[in-house]
Amino acid sequence: MAVAPGSRCVLLLLLLDVLGAPALGDPGPLEDVVIDRYYIPKICLREAQMGDFIRYHYNGTFKDGKKFDSSYDRGATVAGVVGVGRLITGMDRGLQGMCVNERRHLIVPPHLGYGSIGVAGLIPPDATLYFDVVMLDIWNKNDKLQITTLSKPERCNRTVENSDFVRYHYNGTLLDGTPFDSSYSKGSTYDTYVGTGWLIKGMDQGLLGMCAGEKRSIIIPPFLAYGEKGYGTVIPPQASLVFSVLLVDFHNPKDGVFLEHLEVPESCKRRAVTGDFVRYHYNGTLMDGTLFDSSYSRNQTYNTYIGKGYIIPGMDQGLQGVCMGEQRRVVIPPHLAYGENGAGDKIPGSAVLIFDVHIIDFHNPADPVEIETVFRPEGCNVTTRNRDFVRYHYNCSLLDGTRLFSSHDYEKPQEVTLGANKVIEGLNSGLLHMCTGERRVLIVPPHLGHGESGGRGVVADVCNAKWVVQPCWAPSPLALPGLWGSGLGLCLALRGAGAFAVFPARGVPGSAVLRFEVELISMEEGVPEGYLFIWHGEPPVNLYEQMDLDKDGGIPAEEFSTFIKTQVAEKKGRLMPSSDPEKVIADMFRNQDRNQDGKITPDELKLKSDEDQEKIHEEL
């Protein structure tokens, strides 16, 4: 019979009423077990019932306190079925209704113990027995797994299934709270397959349906754990097990890359394919949210070819089909990432990786300049060609909208002679065949822009001119102190020319695709490469005689200058545009005054076309 807490005195009074009151101080023989529940846990999820399997520890003594038996002394708990006659009747009754971790003091009268016979050499006849019992475990053969979800992430795209490979942390205790194992103490997750026999049956079942990041309490009865044998010295036979589990991540060997499109631009003219060079920012995390790497922390994009084996296979696949400006989540199983070995001390073995990527731009080494005409004036018959001198306004930015430079920040438009190797190749191409007043948007890939190294500087030309940055000596105060010693600075120079100024460095990132908004303000027809002056028609047959204004047989610089200026004024020829006419004419005179005596003779005067023809004959 189970006795309610605190009812020991009531039980004794009832017995006295039934048996009659003997002399004071002598309660007389007991008819039933006396139960003192001297410790009852605050939480009692289950009480021992008839037919339950139980595990408990006890000390057994006589009335005088002499010990006759103890499970503690044997170093092993007692396990058995309660209420079915396998224990002495007094113990069968006294254990029923107990909670795990409850402690009871039982007084068992002789007729509910070993009676008038006793146990030879151990328990005398008609002995009243006293037991101090603590309940450690309760279960039933009809029990099932008990799963309690402690916490669950808001996002759960997939749950654990049989044959998945899982990584989880756990604390393992017996039902009474005694710890027997913990992954946390080992400093690493427990990694294994689910549903393939690598785990005890209860854990195989208890992990099914979990989300990455979910926490569960899993109570496993012994027949789904280690059963009658237990495990080593830490898990007794017939022990129920309690696991507090945190699922870190999981995958299946058959898994591919999982893509989640977080933000896709409305305009996506082209998607990345194998062989494209992509610049992107990323945050890399494990499935539990632990950050293992970030390009943002380095303030520099990650730049690479895709589909060519330069990055892990999962990222090679995950970046296929991205749009410029897209934000995408790429979930990569370990067999497409760093496998069983992991990488360094931040990526564990068999870890699923999550990359949140933001595509800045991409291009292909075979890409041409992309030209979009925004506005073209009507009746446009004359367009720009190489060697023309043009004036234009531009805004230069990266494809993510980052503004780099603008000619509008300066007093006048940008000026350049096309085809003279003074602007990046992509911009030069984009300015060809334009009408005055025309507006275009140009997308310039890096191999037609500033390449892998990018461009650095603060002058307006850094976006469009072929600037290079090189260390050079410069006079104070232009020198940048502390750079390669006193007086040495960063000189911004045209490729193939000398440095002309010193500037702080900033500008175009390496391998960046550039976006130009250009407007052609004006254009002047140019002259072929190597020419300073060109005739609009055929030159005079008697050129020398016409040039020799005073007919004295020699052409000094003044006569030469007067003649050329007259041809220009009468529109019979033109000088190289964008240049100082006086300087150009002086250069022309020096070229013709071959002996440098201050005048041109008939033998010295030669048209450039004739000179070029002579060179061809010499080569032949």
Side-chain angles (χ1 to χ4, degrees), residues 37-215:
R37 302 178 72 182
Y38 64 90
Y39 175 75
I40 303 173
K42 293 181 180 180
I43 299 176
C44 182
L45 300 178
R46 179 174 180 175
E47 295 180 346
Q49 304 294 326
M50 184 178 295
D52 282 344
F53 288 82
I54 59 173
R55 277 194 319 109
Y56 59 95
H57 262 309
Y58 73 90
N59 281 318
T61 63
F62 299 118
K63 185 177 181 179
D64 61 2
K66 182 180 179 182
K67 185 190 298 184
F68 64 83
D69 193 16
S70 172
S71 62
Y72 295 100
D73 293 344
R74 293 193 297 275
T77 55
V78 178
V81 182
V82 67
V84 295
R86 296 183 182 179
L87 302 171
I88 59 173
T89 304
M91 187 66 83
D92 250 351
R93 295 180 182 181
L95 294 175
Q96 290 189 47
M98 284 191 79
C99 304
V100 173
N101 285 326
E102 182 178 344
R103 295 177 180 271
R104 288 184 177 183
H105 182 71
L106 307 178
I107 303 175
V108 179
H111 65 280
L112 298 179
Y114 294 97
S116 59
I117 298 176
V119 177
L122 185 62
I123 299 175
D126 298 319
T128 299
L129 306 178
Y130 297 78
F131 292 94
D132 281 297
V133 182
V134 56
M135 184 64 66
L136 302 177
D137 203 343
I138 305 169
W139 58 280
N140 192 288
K141 61 183 179 180
N142 296 320
D143 284 350
K144 296 181 180 179
L145 211 63
Q146 297 180 49
I147 298 175
T148 303
T149 299
L150 305 177
S151 66
K152 197 170 185 177
E154 294 182 4
R155 296 169 55 88
C156 184
N157 296 322
R158 183 185 156 211
T159 60
V160 174
E161 300 174 0
N162 278 325
S163 79
D164 282 344
F165 189 87
V166 295
R167 296 196 311 119
Y168 62 93
H169 271 301
Y170 70 89
N171 286 317
T173 67
L174 305 179
L175 202 60
D176 67 344
T178 302
F180 63 82
D181 196 14
S182 172
S183 64
Y184 296 97
S185 64
K186 300 181 181 72
S188 63
T189 54
Y190 191 81
D191 307 341
T192 188
Y193 287 94
V194 173
T196 56
W198 291 95
L199 294 165
I200 56 176
K201 293 181 179 179
M203 189 62 84
D204 255 347
Q205 297 175 22
L207 293 172
L208 294 176
M210 287 191 79
C211 303
E214 182 177 343
K215 292 182 180 180

Side-chain angles (χ1 to χ4, degrees), residues 42 73 83 129 175 186 198 213 226 260 293 331 369 392 451 498 515 538 540 616:
K42 293 181 180 180
D73 293 344
L129 306 178
L175 202 60
K186 300 181 181 72
W198 291 95
Y226 294 97
E260 185 176 353
D293 194 16
V331 182
V369 175
Y392 62 97
R515 182 181 189 273
E538 290 295 326
I616 293 174

